[in-house]
Amino acid sequence: MTPAFTRVDGGAGRVVEDVHALRVAAHAADTPHLPRPCLTDFEGSLAVGPPATEVEEWAVYDGGECVACARLEFPQEENTATATAAVFVVHPAWRGRGWGGRLAAFVRRHAAARHCSRVLLAADTADPAAPAHRFGDRIGARMVAVLHHLRLDVAQAPRPEPLRGPLRLRFWGSAVPGDLVAEAARLEAVLSADAPTGGLDREPQAAAVSRIRDFERMRAARGRRAYQCGVVDGGTGRMAAWTGLSMTRTNPDNALQAVTVVDPAYRGAGLGRLVKAHNLAACRAAEPRLTHVDTWNAQENAHMLRINTEFGYRRVGARQMWLMSAPVPAGRG
């Protein structure tokens, strides 16, 4: 049995439809607690990737059947030695036949050919003891981080409280206003530097307005809409806090909690909770079918886990991160 690995390109076509159908089947079998896969989101992700990242989507066929798929992300600026398999899925009907091992071997070889010595894989589940997580051991990967999947019933969220002093709220949609984009880039770099990495050694992201704009282009291509709020110090013009929510076309009842960051100089005053409450209230006013919000926090991030628990989030699952080696051939490292 020789698998056929097919590169998935953007635009309509059978391969795109096959991979989306595979993802839908895997979602139903493995992660029905997560938002449903969105076709518009998937098609857009093939056209425009994340900032400073090259993306390859691969489908695996046995005859005429799409049996597995993988989405590989190759960083172009920092952490260039580590590729990420953001999606790594075998169709539920084809499991137990060695396809996962074949896909892992392909990912290793392909990453090594791209001068990446490591591959990071993610697995979501409502049950940390699920077989999908034990698969990491069988392919020689080691678990390096655990993220708690938290969900908020928006009806249980705290009410927004007024700001004090020179601080003012600013609301916007999917694009950061021009007068705040440099501040957003600065806070994004702060978040990258502060984020716990578990057992994975990662370089923080530098502040760059271009990355903010590139991310916005990616979100637009994927058909997503965002609701964002910042707390601005009227005396200095600095953005003291920033948060955002993102929604897909397929899931009007669900929002994903995106960035939430507070400038270190303004921490300790509850601005993270405050800005999240105001932004959620604005999102609910615009999205009457919204019922819940999902977010993920690193197991080591006790501070953010406590804040989100106090906000009303409850744990509903986990995301485990696995790292496997991809030895680069001699003379190519």
Side-chain angles (χ1 to χ4, degrees):
M1 175 169 44
T2 302
F5 290 84
T6 302
R7 179 78 178 268
V8 185
D9 295 319
R14 180 198 166 188
V15 177
V16 173
E17 295 172 356
D18 286 348
V19 172
H20 178 68
L22 189 156
R23 289 189 177 193
V24 170
H27 169 267
D30 304 327
T31 55
H33 64 295
L34 291 179
R36 297 180 302 278
C38 174
L39 180 58
T40 301
D41 186 81
F42 174 51
E43 290 176 338
S45 74
L46 297 174
V48 182
T53 305
E54 185 177 342
V55 176
E56 295 184 7
E57 189 89 25
W58 290 89
V60 187
Y61 281 85
D62 178 35
E65 298 291 333
C66 184
V67 300
C69 68
R71 177 183 176 90
L72 304 181
E73 299 179 350
F74 300 96
Q76 301 298 293
E77 294 182 4
E78 62 275 321
N79 303 300
T80 56
T82 303
T84 297
V87 176
F88 185 99
V89 180
V90 175
H91 194 292
W94 289 81
R95 293 175 184 173
R97 308 186 197 185
W99 290 109
R102 294 182 183 91
L103 183 59
F106 170 80
V107 167
R108 273 193 167 103
R109 291 194 305 270
H110 198 60
R114 296 289 303 266
H115 309 287
C116 294
S117 59
R118 307 185 302 178
V119 180
L120 189 65
L121 303 95
D124 283 293
T125 185
D127 177 11
H133 289 177
R134 296 198 294 269
F135 177 70
D137 293 328
R138 295 200 297 273
I139 62 173
R142 62 183 177 90
M143 191 170 65
V144 292
V146 176
L147 306 179
H148 291 205
H149 174 198
L150 307 176
R151 174 163 292 163
L152 172 70
D153 176 349
V154 299
Q156 305 301 317
R159 293 182 178 180
E161 298 177 1
L163 283 171
R164 299 178 181 178
L167 301 179
R168 299 289 184 268
L169 291 168
R170 288 277 300 274
F171 294 92
W172 61 89
S174 295
V176 181
D179 63 318
L180 293 179
V181 69
E183 282 293 287
R186 179 182 64 82
L187 287 182
E188 191 175 67
V190 168
L191 182 63
S192 177
D194 288 351
T197 60
L200 183 64
D201 182 23
R202 295 184 70 81
E203 303 165 4
Q205 173 185 319
V209 169
S210 62
R211 286 207 178 186
I212 298 289
R213 297 309 189 203
D214 287 346
F215 185 86
E216 291 170 351
R217 280 188 282 272
M218 178 195 72
R219 183 164 52 205
R222 297 174 71 157
R224 295 191 176 199
R225 58 196 182 278
Y227 297 87
Q228 302 183 71
C229 180
V231 176
V232 179
D233 188 327
T236 65
R238 291 173 69 87
M239 191 150 64
W242 171 33
T243 193
L245 294 167
S246 177
M247 301 183 68
T248 67
R249 291 184 182 179
T250 297
N251 300 287
D253 60 335
N254 171 263
L256 301 176
Q257 177 65 59
V259 60
T260 298
V261 56
V262 177
D263 185 310
Y266 294 85
R267 290 175 182 171
L271 287 186
R273 174 188 174 97
L274 187 148
V275 74
K276 284 160 68 84
H278 278 280
N279 193 54
L280 178 59
C283 183
R284 291 183 69 188
E287 302 282 351
R289 289 187 286 176
L290 179 67
T291 60
H292 59 279
V293 178
D294 287 319
T295 192
W296 284 260
N297 290 143
Q299 186 170 258
E300 298 84 0
N301 197 345
H303 175 69
M304 186 53 67
L305 286 169
R306 177 180 58 79
I307 289 176
N308 279 331
T309 298
E310 292 174 353
F311 198 83
Y313 282 91
R314 297 294 178 263
R315 186 178 181 187
V316 294
R319 174 174 297 166
Q320 294 184 351
M321 308 301 295
W322 296 80
L323 193 67
M324 66 179 183
S325 63
V328 177
R332 302 190 64 177

